[in-house]
Amino acid sequence: MSDVATVEINDAIFCQSHLKEVCAECNYDGREENDSFFGFDPIDREGIEAPTSSQNKEGVYQCKKHGSAACNQCYGWKKQITRARTAAKKAGKKSSS
Ligand SMILES: [Zn+2]
Ligand SMILES: [Zn+2]
């Protein structure tokens, strides 16, 4: 994944082109990195996605809705990852793909 351009938004890593944590187009998967950053054991879960964001003058991403680079609502990754993990555990053994 080293040749995929990535960006960091409020401590989570996404592909630069689509702001996705898991991106088929970029062939990128940042779950393991983000999971370990937020103190989780990496599991097979849905990837998180950044909402509509834009870069400010310093090149820092901020949410369009609130204009914040550390927005708890839009960039509340830990909460979103926790939710994705719970869903993945509930889904159980559907690890065919
Ligand atoms: Zn992408
Ligand atoms: Zn926001």
Side-chain angles (χ1 to χ4, degrees):
M1 66 172 76
S2 52
D3 54 347
V4 178
T6 57
V7 292
E8 192 181 308
I9 302 179
N10 201 23
D11 292 331
I13 315 282
F14 301 89
C15 76
Q16 187 174 35
S17 308
H18 314 95
L19 303 186
K20 288 181 177 182
E21 184 188 35
V22 179
C23 184
E25 280 172 78
C26 297
N27 195 22
Y28 176 70
D29 184 346
R31 291 179 296 179
E32 195 173 326
E33 203 167 343
N34 288 337
D35 273 356
S36 57
F37 179 87
F38 289 102
F40 298 116
D41 297 323
I43 61 167
D44 187 11
R45 58 164 173 78
E46 288 285 310
I48 56 174
E49 229 175 280
T52 309
S53 306
S54 58
Q55 283 176 286
N56 66 13
K57 272 180 256 162
E58 284 80 42
V60 177
Y61 280 84
Q62 50 189 26
C63 69
K64 195 169 190 178
K65 214 170 180 180
H66 311 96
S68 167
C71 184
N72 276 334
Q73 290 170 63
C74 301
Y75 299 160
W77 309 132
K78 193 158 188 178
K79 198 189 278 178
Q80 291 186 32
I81 290 174
T82 302
R83 203 178 297 147
R85 292 172 61 83
T86 305
K89 280 174 189 164
K90 250 183 215 166
K93 315 183 170 57
K94 59 161 213 168
S95 55
S96 46
S97 65

